[in-house]
Amino acid sequence: MINWFHDKKEIDDISKFPEDTYGFVYKITHLPTGKSYIGKKVLYYERNKRLGKKELETLREERSIKGLRGRVPIKKKVITESDWKSYWGSNKELNTLREEESEDRFHKEILCLAKNKKLLTYYELKYLCVYGVLENPKSYWNDNILGKFFTKDFE
């Protein structure tokens, strides 16, 4: 598995990101052709997990001892590390090519880091526009931006 690079440094572990990093904007380039894909990736998944019977009972007992009233929550927020290390983007052409060729024919670069979800979306949009991905379909696999702007709009 090839690793990500940011500022010419290899990043192979989540501890190498600044502490307040929510996610990153990346560029994956196929070295033989120079064709690239730009996208974004979060470092952590956040989901609500349903509490089990034992956890619910323990919570009810704790609330009772503290004299708390009201409904007992049935879910808790669980945060886990995402699949960022092995992530290759959502583009079908890129993923098909990756399956056909060895990974050393690609370069995975982190363009910028983001501190929250909103900034991550903004930075992705910024880089997609700066690189002109829709105007250069021979250089980029990206075929739309935000599901609103498409390569075909420029034909």
Side-chain angles (χ1 to χ4, degrees), residues 4 24-30 34-41 87-91 94 107 109-112 120-134 136 139-146:
W4 293 98
F24 57 86
V25 176
Y26 64 86
K27 181 178 178 185
I28 298 176
T29 304
H30 181 240
K35 196 165 185 175
S36 300
Y37 180 76
I38 294 175
K40 65 182 177 180
K41 185 65 183 161
Y87 192 69
W88 281 87
S90 58
N91 185 273
L94 169 62
H107 178 69
E109 173 187 9
I110 295 173
L111 300 173
C112 78
L120 183 59
T121 300
Y122 169 78
Y123 289 135
E124 180 192 28
L125 175 60
K126 173 186 170 181
Y127 281 97
L128 290 168
C129 292
V130 166
Y131 282 94
V133 299
L134 299 183
N136 299 301
S139 299
Y140 293 94
W141 280 293
N142 299 79
D143 60 0
N144 79 81
I145 296 177
L146 299 175

Side-chain angles (χ1 to χ4, degrees), residues 110-121:
I110 295 173
L111 300 173
C112 78
L113 306 175
K115 295 181 180 192
N116 59 52
K117 187 176 184 177
K118 195 173 202 177
L119 282 175
L120 183 59
T121 300

Side-chain angles (χ1 to χ4, degrees), residues 39-106:
K40 65 182 177 180
K41 185 65 183 161
V42 297
L43 293 179
Y44 297 96
Y45 292 136
E46 217 175 89
R47 64 182 182 94
N48 290 321
K49 182 181 176 187
R50 193 173 181 90
L51 296 174
K53 289 180 182 179
K54 288 182 182 179
E55 286 178 300
L56 279 171
E57 190 56 40
T58 303
L59 191 56
R60 283 189 187 105
E61 288 172 9
E62 288 173 2
R63 290 175 61 90
S64 175
I65 292 168
K66 292 178 182 176
L68 298 173
R69 296 170 160 246
R71 272 181 73 179
V72 175
I74 60 170
K75 294 180 181 178
K76 67 178 176 182
K77 191 170 284 193
V78 177
I79 298 171
T80 56
E81 186 175 338
S82 75
D83 60 345
W84 68 272
K85 286 182 192 178
S86 60
Y87 192 69
W88 281 87
S90 58
N91 185 273
K92 289 179 184 175
E93 286 181 63
L94 169 62
N95 284 311
T96 299
L97 190 61
R98 183 183 60 85
E99 289 170 10
E100 294 170 356
E101 297 189 23
S102 65
E103 290 184 357
D104 63 348
R105 295 173 61 89
F106 296 88

Side-chain angles (χ1 to χ4, degrees), residues 133-137 142-155:
V133 299
L134 299 183
E135 300 163 60
N136 299 301
N142 299 79
D143 60 0
N144 79 81
I145 296 177
L146 299 175
K148 293 182 180 187
F149 307 100
F150 298 87
T151 305
K152 64 182 178 184
D153 297 335
F154 292 89
E155 293 173 354

